[in-house]
Amino acid sequence: MSLNKNLLLLICGTILGFNLSAQESKINSPEFLKYENSKWVDSIMATLTPEERIAQLFMIPAFSNKDEAHKQEILEQIEKYKIGGLIFMQGDPKTQLKLMNDYQLASEVPLIGAIDAEWGLGMRLDNSISFPYQMALGAIQGEELLYEMGVEIAKQIKRSGLHVNFGPVVDVNNNPQNPVINYRSFGEDKQNVARKGIAYMKGMQSQNLLATAKHFPGHGDTDTDSHYALPQINHPFERLDDLEMYPFKELINAGIGGVMVAHLDIPALDSTGAPSTLSKPIITGILKEKLGFKGLIVTDAMNMKGVAEGNEPGEVDMKAVLAGNDLLEFSDDIPKAIAEIQKAIRNGLISQAEIDARCRKILAVKQWVGLDKYEPIPVKNIEEEVNSPEAQWLNRRLVEASLTLLKNEHSILPLQNLDTLKIASVSIGASKTTDFQKSLNLYTRVKNFQLERDATASEIEELNEKLKDYNLVVLALHDFSIRPRNQIDLSPVVQKFISERAQMKNNIFSLFKNPYVINSLENIENSEVLIEAYQDSELTQELAAQLIFGGIGASGKLPVSIGDKFSAGDGLDLKGGLRFKYTAPGDAGMDAKKLGSAIDSLMQQAMSAKATPGGVVLVARDKKVVFHKAYGLHKYSDTIPVEKTDLYDLASVSKISSALPAIMKLYDEGRFDLQAGIDDYLPYFKNSNKAGIPFRQIFAHQARFKPWIPYWKNTLRNNGSYKWNTFKKDSSSRYPVRISNDLWLHRNYQKKIYRAIKKSPLEQEAKYKYSGLVFYLLPGIVEEITGEDYVNYLDRNFYNKLGATTLTYNPSKKFELERIVPTESDFNFRHEEIHGNVHDEGAIMMGGVSANAGLFANANDLAKLMQMYLDMGEYGGQRYIEASTLKEFTRTQFPENDNHRALAFDKPYLEYRGEDSNTARDASSESFGHTGFTGTMVWMDPQEDLLYIFLSNRVLPTRDNTRLYKLNTRTQIQQAIYDSIEN
């Protein structure tokens, strides 16, 4: 029979005196019912007295954050009355499981354990995951993720020793002022609510965890909280049947095991004014007989004023049993409740057989969830298991799928042309830099401002003045409460600020609040860009920032209507994948545990061996950053921890990160020829022994060039002192090149370096020999070809467009020293600790600007450039270099000469050499990258779409520290990355 027919028959049957037979509906009975007359249930029933069978109908509250006296009180009720179960409230998983094991040991009949875990264990327990609230889940398109969430939540609840989840909430929230359901509902669309509820329920029950739909017959259209008073719903039966009860009917038909009854006064269903929890017409007449529900019927908490007001403890429980409930939670007086039910039996209001049937139902649930074979559950590792990488990734996917883009005028999102944007962010309601702002800064430089919720007019005026310097402003409205309630707690002037900004161009709004708040924000619907994130958490903030820059897309649809501003179902689709997505390893087909534990172990080994005081490791696959972690300290002797945002000296990684992208771009433009020689671009080299040697050979390191020249040694006298005409202690127009605070180099010394390179002899044989000599010349060649300052050219054509704002020379001019990791203590040349300046002596003598060394960056910004290479010249919707060029520059050039190198890029050895190899065993022959003297490594593998970055300062305190090489830390980590890829 079709769903519509069922509904029509139900309504008709109701109008004609409730003559509809439940047997006419196709209902999937709860699975546990098959155990009602099992041998195990029979055996337990035989041990229970009539009084104890009544006691099985009760579930009392238990806390895992209270004292020993509370535990003893619970134990007394278990041993004295043989209660049926416990509902756990606040605490933590580890303590809860320990207690549940103790309680089970004390109980002759296994206890059923329940918890309100509507959005996971985090709803009640510390140190556990909270998945998105149901309002956010209602925005998700499709139900697959809801099923997965149900499975995961079931596993976590069972791991913590429990068996029932009092969820999902399937109330249709059609009252924006609802104080108790609201964000706990999937929304106002009854069909969406039903679909989401069924998926969530089926996921849980697939793991033999009993799901409980609540709050029957529907708590969505109230403006009263039943915890404090009895709400009244004055809709006619037809409306209640068509809307409020619709999801319950669908879940019953789908086989849900439990239904929780709300405390509501519904005259159309029961004219006596009795709370629905105590209403036989509602529970027995409608839920059992008319809807055909045979599963477990549970009361909402019996201590809530919606039912307790005007009803004595004990008596109210008896009334609930008479109404048709099977399981009562939060009874205020168990002995009195038992006595009242016994009295009702004696008075013929209910039979012992009816009590026995309900007891059997509860025992059947216990057998279905596995309590017939109960064994204590191990406590060890519980918190690690309920916070598993798989659960974290699922949570991330749920949040990502919920994000709803309500406005995107002129297709502002995803942001493009970063080099044209000067961006400010304003976090409203925050007093310090938010996770949202930190995440925005992963993509490019963003100036952060905070605006307190009670900011004054003068503070707002000052902020507006500062914002005039920016051509794009990203505003975030944060929540100020634990739960995303429908309230605005902002001063009038802050609300006015929001209203004015919403009407301006180039302002992006992201709301980390209940969507109903939109109706209270004047003009917010007129903003060019409006993102609804539903709640305020670290994860929603991170992902909303990624949405703005195109790291992820948007597919969420508004689950509720917002006045006349937006309708349920509104939401724009936006494609992601434009830039990095910061995500979990599972998102890229990698094992998070293998990846994290292996890298952690290898880094700890390196730091313990004093191979490096710290470092940063970044891993990306399929343009997804799946691992990015900082380790250790800046120096062995200090307490400054390494941060992911810290800048490292890239050393020879500069070779592929500075002049090389410029050269490849000029090659695309036909302005650079690989068959040309140095003399073709620097006439000074005509008539030298290097004239005519093609760049193809030079970049592949088989041009017979000497590996290096110790330029700095030529500046010293035999006694070790500096030559007076080369250095001075103070700067001047003749000595403008800073080597150290007390050492300034003559302005013409760069010419001496050129001369030394020009005059250096050539090796006898044209075979592979690594040489950095030409990279001192490349900045000059780029300037000669382009007529533009070398650094400006790189910034304009690459770094600024990529949003790679820490890729820079001479970083101490732009960044605080605390953000720059020091390198060697130089006792030979500069006689100081190298901090904020390039480690390489030749590069510092070039003013810190060379293609041989000198570039600094944090791992994240360096990754953007490397990802552009990995994507064959494209990133962020822009093409920087032609794919054919990158393929040419990254292929091995002279394999016939036993030379594994590409053009400037390093490649794996032609044959793997074990521990002596330059890469991991599994690095493909297509892979390419480079290493650096200071302990850096970048490597890209197109075959696996894999990017690996390792930054360290292994040269601290001295370059003689070669432990990093001996441990093979960099390549071992690289192999661990390959090992984590799931086939």
Side-chain angles (χ1 to χ4, degrees), residues 13 17 57 94 123 128 227 254 262 355 490 505 560 576 591 635 728 753 782 822 880 969 983:
L57 276 56
K94 190 173 184 180
M123 180 173 174
S128 55
H227 290 85
I355 296 295
L490 298 168
K505 290 184 178 179
V560 292
D591 187 306
K635 299 190 296 183
K728 296 297 181 187
I753 292 176
V782 171
Y880 295 82
T969 301
N983 296 323

Side-chain angles (χ1 to χ4, degrees), residues 916-931:
D916 294 330
S917 285
N918 64 338
T919 65
R921 178 191 66 246
D922 289 346
S924 78
S925 59
E926 296 177 33
S927 69
F928 57 94
H930 216 286
T931 56

Side-chain angles (χ1 to χ4, degrees), residues 205-223:
Q205 293 191 170
S206 74
Q207 305 301 306
N208 282 59
L209 182 104
L210 193 79
T212 312
K214 62 186 186 184
H215 306 81
F216 185 82
H219 208 317
D221 195 6
T222 68
D223 55 11

Side-chain angles (χ1 to χ4, degrees), residues 705-713 770-773 776 841:
F705 287 9
K706 291 290 182 183
W708 69 295
I709 299 172
Y711 309 105
W712 66 275
K713 290 184 178 180
Y770 182 81
S771 172
L773 296 189
Y776 288 94
E841 295 91 349

Side-chain angles (χ1 to χ4, degrees), residues 336-581:
K336 188 173 180 182
I338 293 173
E340 289 291 337
I341 294 169
Q342 287 177 316
K343 186 190 299 184
I345 294 171
R346 290 193 299 270
N347 291 335
L349 299 176
I350 189 170
S351 67
Q352 183 65 48
E354 289 177 275
I355 296 295
D356 291 352
R358 296 183 198 182
C359 181
R360 280 185 171 276
K361 189 185 291 187
I362 291 167
L363 292 174
V365 170
K366 291 183 179 184
Q367 184 172 3
W368 181 72
V369 300
L371 283 171
D372 58 325
K373 300 179 179 66
Y374 170 75
E375 290 184 3
I377 300 173
V379 175
K380 187 178 180 181
N381 297 327
I382 179 174
E383 291 192 351
E384 291 84 351
E385 291 176 32
V386 300
N387 291 285
S388 68
E390 293 80 11
Q392 301 282 1
W393 178 37
L394 173 60
N395 194 24
R396 181 175 288 273
R397 286 187 288 153
L398 287 162
V399 173
E400 180 181 339
S402 73
L403 294 181
T404 304
L405 182 61
L406 292 172
K407 295 287 294 295
N408 189 23
E409 299 294 331
H410 316 300
S411 299
I412 292 175
L413 298 190
L415 295 179
Q416 300 197 44
N417 303 315
L418 298 185
D419 55 321
T420 67
L421 299 176
K422 190 174 182 184
I423 307 173
S425 72
V426 181
S427 279
I428 301 168
S431 57
K432 60 181 181 180
T433 304
T434 62
D435 293 307
F436 179 65
Q437 292 176 317
K438 291 175 185 176
S439 296
L440 290 173
N441 275 276
L442 289 171
Y443 290 96
T444 190
R445 182 184 292 112
V446 177
K447 178 65 176 176
N448 300 324
F449 299 95
Q450 290 79 44
L451 185 67
E452 297 275 10
R453 54 182 167 170
D454 57 353
T456 63
S458 60
E459 289 171 332
I460 289 174
E461 184 179 356
E462 181 182 351
L463 175 61
N464 276 326
E465 193 61 34
K466 292 177 180 177
L467 294 178
K468 289 179 181 178
D469 294 333
Y470 301 88
N471 60 9
L472 181 70
V473 180
V474 182
L475 301 104
L477 182 55
H478 294 276
D479 212 328
F480 322 117
S481 60
I482 298 174
R483 305 282 186 253
R485 302 195 184 279
N486 180 17
Q487 50 190 227
I488 291 288
D489 189 9
L490 298 168
S491 68
V493 289
V494 173
Q495 292 189 50
K496 182 182 177 185
F497 169 78
I498 293 171
S499 175
E500 290 173 347
R501 279 280 155 189
Q503 297 175 83
M504 295 181 184
K505 290 184 178 179
N506 300 323
N507 281 257
I508 294 171
F509 277 89
S510 188
L511 272 58
F512 301 104
K513 290 185 72 65
N514 186 311
Y516 286 125
V517 166
I518 292 173
N519 206 39
S520 302
L521 292 170
E522 187 178 353
N523 290 315
I524 193 71
E525 70 278 12
N526 296 321
S527 58
E528 287 188 319
V529 177
L530 180 60
I531 301 166
E532 172 56 51
Y534 299 98
Q535 60 196 80
D536 200 354
S537 69
E538 181 179 347
L539 196 50
T540 55
Q541 292 184 42
E542 287 180 8
L543 289 168
Q546 294 190 41
L547 170 59
I548 288 170
F549 284 95
I552 64 172
S555 60
K557 299 292 181 283
L558 202 61
V560 292
S561 298
I562 311 297
D564 58 2
K565 295 183 178 182
F566 296 102
S567 300
D570 283 353
L572 304 170
D573 289 334
L574 189 71
K575 187 178 179 182
L578 189 71
R579 296 186 179 88
F580 275 135
K581 177 181 182 181

